Amino acid sequence: MPTVLEKVVYTAKAHTTGGREGRSTSDDGLLDVKLSPPKAMGGAGGATNPEQLFAAGYSACFMGAIKHVASMKKIAVPADASIDAEVDIGPIPQGFGIAARLAVSLPGLDRAVAQDLVNTAHQVCPYSNATRGNIVVDLRLV
């Protein structure tokens, strides 16, 4: 059953032309990226691809979820916290699919506390909620 929003607090808008060999821009002009398939997929490379954008979006959103959960639990997130995201693309029976890996670094936090933040953030993060049950997502505390 799809998740229904209780209320819309923001709507991101982007305009894309040319698909994987095109350009995407946001309605406010802050995002303006040339797109190109990576060389590994037979493209020219040299420009951003949708998987990179997904990796950046998921990792940024997940860090936001960690910070939200930490504030609710009165835990300070280390200033040097980071997430390395990887997004794979490959064939599936119906066409193509993706898989994601997030390596979360929360230096200086007790490992059990950090793992609890990661686990709880995975329940809160919109990207995690959107992908749950649809793609493989591997979360790892490093």
Side-chain angles (χ1 to χ4, degrees), residues 47-63:
T48 301
N49 62 65
E51 292 71 36
Q52 290 171 322
L53 293 170
F54 191 89
Y58 198 170
S59 58
C61 190
F62 200 86
M63 184 60 76

Side-chain angles (χ1 to χ4, degrees), residues 24-87:
S24 287
T25 57
S26 59
D27 63 331
D28 61 7
L30 295 175
L31 177 72
D32 186 346
V33 293
K34 181 181 176 189
L35 302 169
S36 178
K39 290 182 180 183
M41 291 177 63
T48 301
N49 62 65
E51 292 71 36
Q52 290 171 322
L53 293 170
F54 191 89
Y58 198 170
S59 58
C61 190
F62 200 86
M63 184 60 76
I66 288 172
K67 289 180 175 184
H68 172 77
V69 168
S71 72
M72 301 296 286
K73 295 181 180 232
K74 309 281 192 255
I75 298 169
V77 174
D80 55 348
S82 63
I83 298 175
D84 290 320
E86 297 177 332
V87 173

Side-chain angles (χ1 to χ4, degrees), residues 89-112:
I89 184 171
I92 61 173
Q94 308 88 332
F96 292 91
I98 61 171
R101 288 180 300 285
L102 301 179
V104 181
S105 175
L106 297 168
L109 283 184
D110 174 79
R111 186 154 186 89

Side-chain angles (χ1 to χ4, degrees), residues 3 8 10 16 23 42 50 57 70 73 77 99 101 104 108-109 114 116-117 122 126 131 133 141-142:
T3 302
V8 174
Y10 171 72
T16 300
R23 172 170 240 90
K73 295 181 180 232
V77 174
R101 288 180 300 285
V104 181
L109 283 184
D116 181 61
L117 286 179
H122 190 45
T131 59
L141 181 61
V142 295

